[in-house]
Structure formats: structure tokens, C-alpha cells
Amino acid sequence: MISIDDLDRVLGWMLKDQLQALEVSEGNARIRLKMADRPGMPAPRVEAKVLARGLGRFLVAHPRSGEPALKVGDQVVAGGIVGFIQNDAVLLPIVSAHAGQVSEVHVAAGSLLGFGAPVLTLMVEP
Amino acid sequence: MIEVLSNSALATIQDGGRHGYYRDGVSRSGAMDGVAVAVGNALLGNDRDAAGIEIPMLPFSVRFDTGLDIALTGADCAAHLDDVALQPDWAIRVHASQVLKLSAPKSGCRAYLCVGGGVDVPTVLGSRSTQLREGFGGHEGRMLQKGDRLAARRTESVLPEGGMGAMPVAALMPELGQGANVTVRVLPAAEYELFRPEAHDALWSGDWAVTPQSNRAGYRLAGPELQLITPIELRSHGVVPGVIQVPPGGQPIIQLADAATMGGYPKIGTVIEADLWRLAQARPGEKLNFQQVSYEDALAARHELDRCLASIEAMAMRVRAAAKGWSR
């Protein structure tokens, strides 16, 4: 038998894992839970900003690589280099702490970055 | 410690070279691309001439069994630290059990692995470079082999989180020549006037292919035949890295880091010291062009290169110090 406590627990899992519907079958019994429709609500996602950890000129790619600049919609991996800060002859990496999809690029190639300046906004999958 | 995992031949420990023993017949040895080693050392806060590993044959891989600051410079060889791509001319902290893999180079032909404080091998005649022909210096006086274990002279980290890199030196210096060929600057040498005028024209305007018979001792070139006005016999005399000798047959040889200290072939020119690193990254099949310069130009070029390296060293030091401040 499925108790009210069981339903409560299952609902907790659904909320935690963002499930919209869950169906459980056992013998002839079947129970189906479905979240109330909330039309027009976007999928729940979280924004994260990638910040410059140094001062200098923004390079979209390593000068020896010739890779194209990141643009809105591109995927980045956690710990991945998303650009460089050029300080005279020295380069510092701009590293994304999260995996996600680029939703905004805040700085143009070659522009000057201050410490803590936002470089990208990512939509991070929760 | 660093353990060599690959059986790749020809990798050797090299520093800024063994200077001052020519009179004893000891050639200079040292890194072929001294600029790449200097850049790696600048990023790591090492002395400019600290010893690194010169890697001319790829693939090559090593495993670290302690945390260590490393820098990889020179040829861009799609290096990976475990599964993560490492940027060219880059210094980073590695952790115990990580594996560094270098693949076939996209450009250049010699990579340099520098470590915190430099590679810890004994100093012999003022240098840690491997003296291959004589079998001393470096690691047991020989090329590295699979299973060799090397220590760094410093294990604590000075690098910012995520590491730091250097701009390509070629991008910081005035451009030399045009097109795909490698241009180096050359001084006319002692026997220059004994060559025919056509040989002079060919030297300055010809394309000189680096042949596969090219190594740390010297590069044999293929191009127009350089002929003397009349054949001459010379007594053996001192020869330094950069000297362009012309043996009978007229195809020149550029003597390099491991060249014999003496030779008897006539010398038509000398590649200036400030451009020897450019030769080090020219692959067999690539073509060289020689640009004539004066002694004063050669000295100015050397000072310019020194200033460039000094500015990388100074900026790297400032960036390391600033990063240290921000991380507190």
C-alpha cells in the first residue's frame, strides 16, 4: 500500500530533481503524480557570471590558437578557459567555474578589463 | 619528481649553455631555442638560464609524482595535462599523478618543459646542459630514457590559480622578412670576399631549405651552389654557433649548439646570436632567408632581445605578486 507519507516523499524527490511527472506501478496499483501546469514559465535555470581575475586587455583566444570568440549560445565546461587577460607580455586565463551556455558576452575583444569585471553571463543548468 | 614515460629519443636537459670552455674544446651546448627556455623560466620566476628539458621528438610524455610548477614553451605541440588541453607558452601547477602528453607540433619543432627552480642535476663546468658528444652534464650525460626520474629545485608554487602564459616572443619583436620562410639576420664572415659575386647574390636572395641532416650540431642546407673564386685550404680554426660554413660542393652548413669548436671550411657568414632561436624552430623542409646586417645591427638585435626577455620577466613577476595579493 502507498501511504500519504510515501506520496510526500515522492513529491519531495520530484521537487528536488525538477521532475514534471512521475508514475509508479506496483501489481495492479498505479499512481501518477504531475506538477500543476504553470504556463509561460521558463525552465528553471540559474545565471552565473564569469569575472576577470586580473587587469588587462581582453583576448577572446590565445594569440597562437586562432580559435573563434565565444558567442551567445556556446557551451562552456566547468574549469574551461573562456578567454585571456593580456597584461603586456603576460597572459592570465579567464576560467569559468561552472558548465553552462553563454547568454551574454559583456566585453568586446581588445577592451580593457578591471579586476572583477564581468566577462560572460552563463545559464547554468540547475 | 618527474618520470619520463615515453621512449622518445633525443630529449635532453639544457640550460643557457656552457660558456667559457671553447679553449678546452668544449662546445657551448645549451638549449637550441634559448628564448623558449628563458620565457618558461620567466613565467616560473626562475633564473633566466635555469635548466629545462628540450624535447625535439614527439610524442613525449611524463608523469609527476609531486605537486610542481611547470612551464611548457617553444613548439606548439597540442599538450594535454591528463585530458585537459594546455595552452602554448603556459605555466601551471601540476599535481601528483598527473600526466603531461605532447603530440606532434602544429608549429615549430622543439618544445621545452621547464620546472620550478629548474631541473635539479649537477652543475658541470658551470652549466647543467647535456654535453652529448663528451657524455657529461645533464642527466648522466645522455639523452633521457623511459623510466628516468628527475627532480625540480623548487616544489612550492608561485603561480596564480589557473596558471599564466606569455605572449609569443615573435609577436613582441619587430617582424623579420615576409611570407612563409624563416628569416634570420647574417653577418658576412672572414672568407666572405673569397666567394664569387654570384655566391653573394645567392646567399642573400636564395631560399635555403633545411635538410633532414639537421640536428643540434648543425643544419645542412640545400640551395644554390656557393662557389669560391679559387679553391682554398684553411687551417682549422675556432667556430661558434651560427657560423655558416661552405664545404666543397657549395651546400652550406650552419654550426649550432653542439657543433665542434674547430673547423676548416671557409665561412661565408654567421647567423647573429639574437636569431639562433628562430633557427631552432625551423623544421626540415622549411626554407630560410638570410638578411645581411652589420656588426652594430647584430649587437642592437641582441640588446633588443634582452630587453624583451627582461620585460617578460618583470611583468610575470608583477602578475604573480598581484595574483598572490588577490587570492588572500
Side-chain angles (χ1 to χ4, degrees):
Chain A
M1 271 300 285
I2 297 173
S3 70
I4 295 291
D5 283 348
D6 290 331
L7 288 178
D8 233 343
R9 200 161 61 245
V10 171
L11 188 60
W13 294 338
M14 289 178 70
L15 286 171
K16 178 170 161 284
D17 292 326
Q18 308 272 344
L19 295 180
Q20 293 300 308
L22 184 72
E23 193 168 295
V24 181
S25 303
E26 194 181 353
N28 290 330
R30 192 178 74 161
I31 183 161
R32 181 177 155 82
L33 298 177
K34 188 168 175 295
M35 291 292 180
D37 279 332
R38 287 180 294 173
M41 289 287 287
R45 301 214 290 183
V46 180
E47 274 194 355
K49 282 198 162 47
V50 179
L51 308 178
R53 309 299 293 173
L55 309 169
R57 204 163 66 92
F58 176 52
L59 301 187
V60 296
H62 192 281
R64 285 176 75 172
S65 87
E67 274 171 32
L70 281 175
K71 56 188 187 307
V72 171
D74 286 349
Q75 292 290 334
V76 304
V77 297
I81 295 179
V82 297
F84 297 86
I85 302 169
Q86 183 199 349
N87 199 329
D88 197 60
V90 170
L91 301 174
L92 282 172
I94 304 173
V95 177
S96 172
H98 306 279
Q101 190 177 35
V102 177
S103 64
E104 196 176 348
V105 180
H106 298 280
V107 280
S111 56
L112 286 176
L113 293 176
F115 183 83
V119 179
L120 298 176
T121 299
L122 299 178
M123 296 310 284
V124 179
E125 304 296 335
Chain B
M1 298 285 272
I2 308 161
E3 184 184 348
V4 178
L5 297 182
S6 54
N7 252 329
S8 157
L10 301 181
T12 53
I13 293 170
Q14 301 293 345
D15 63 7
R18 189 165 274 118
H19 299 273
Y21 295 93
Y22 251 62
R23 63 172 182 271
D24 302 309
V26 176
S27 55
R28 194 206 69 189
S29 79
M32 289 280 280
D33 184 348
V35 169
V37 171
V39 168
N41 285 331
L43 293 173
L44 295 170
N46 295 346
D47 290 341
R48 189 181 288 185
D49 292 342
I53 304 174
E54 177 174 284
I55 306 157
M57 290 278 279
L58 299 154
F60 182 82
S61 60
V62 294
R63 179 168 47 223
F64 305 97
D65 63 12
T66 43
L68 199 61
D69 285 354
I70 65 159
L72 195 63
T73 58
D76 178 3
C77 45
H80 281 74
L81 195 55
D82 291 337
D83 294 330
V84 179
L86 195 60
Q87 304 294 321
D89 298 323
W90 202 257
I92 195 162
R93 181 76 177 172
V94 298
H95 305 290
S97 87
Q98 281 194 302
V99 172
L100 175 71
K101 278 200 184 110
L102 279 60
S103 310
K106 292 187 237 171
S107 67
C109 63
R110 286 182 171 82
Y112 291 85
L113 174 59
C114 299
V115 296
V119 180
D120 191 10
V121 292
T123 302
V124 183
L125 298 181
S127 165
R128 293 186 166 84
S129 287
T130 312
Q131 200 79 29
L132 278 178
R133 197 177 325 111
E134 294 80 2
F136 66 84
H139 182 69
E140 300 176 1
R142 60 165 171 80
M143 295 168 187
L144 297 178
Q145 297 169 358
K146 186 175 178 177
D148 280 346
R149 291 168 59 80
L150 304 166
R153 300 184 68 224
R154 185 189 76 219
T155 50
E156 67 271 24
S157 186
V158 298
L159 295 173
E161 183 79 29
M164 61 195 278
M167 288 290 286
V169 170
L172 302 173
M173 306 275 290
E175 208 166 325
L176 272 188
Q178 296 162 340
N181 292 358
V182 176
T183 298
V184 292
R185 290 164 286 189
V186 167
L187 290 165
E191 286 77 50
Y192 179 79
E193 296 299 339
L194 304 181
F195 285 86
R196 295 184 182 184
E198 307 87 78
H200 296 159
D201 292 344
L203 179 69
W204 304 123
S205 62
D207 284 348
W208 297 97
V210 177
T211 68
Q213 289 81 47
S214 297
N215 55 33
R216 286 183 48 84
Y219 282 11
R220 283 182 181 271
L221 306 181
E225 191 180 329
L226 300 176
Q227 289 185 331
L228 291 158
I229 297 168
T230 51
I232 48 162
E233 296 251 340
L234 295 173
R235 292 186 175 168
S236 285
H237 51 266
V239 170
V240 296
V243 161
I244 307 171
Q245 293 181 321
V246 183
Q251 297 293 284
I253 303 170
I254 309 180
Q255 300 295 333
L256 292 168
D258 284 351
T261 56
M262 307 266 283
Y265 294 135
K267 307 174 294 297
I268 195 169
T270 306
V271 177
I272 67 171
E273 201 176 334
D275 286 347
L276 291 178
W277 67 280
R278 299 177 194 270
L279 288 179
Q281 297 297 354
R283 304 184 196 196
E286 272 195 272
K287 294 198 170 92
L288 307 179
N289 291 133
F290 296 136
Q291 179 186 318
Q292 185 173 2
V293 292
S294 67
Y295 182 70
E296 290 70 31
D297 295 334
L299 278 185
R302 193 183 149 171
H303 290 144
E304 185 173 47
L305 181 59
D306 276 345
R307 273 197 304 276
C308 174
L309 292 176
S311 78
I312 297 174
E313 286 160 358
M315 185 51 69
M317 187 187 286
R318 276 175 57 185
V319 168
R320 284 192 306 269
K324 211 173 186 178
W326 285 327
S327 68
R328 276 198 205 105

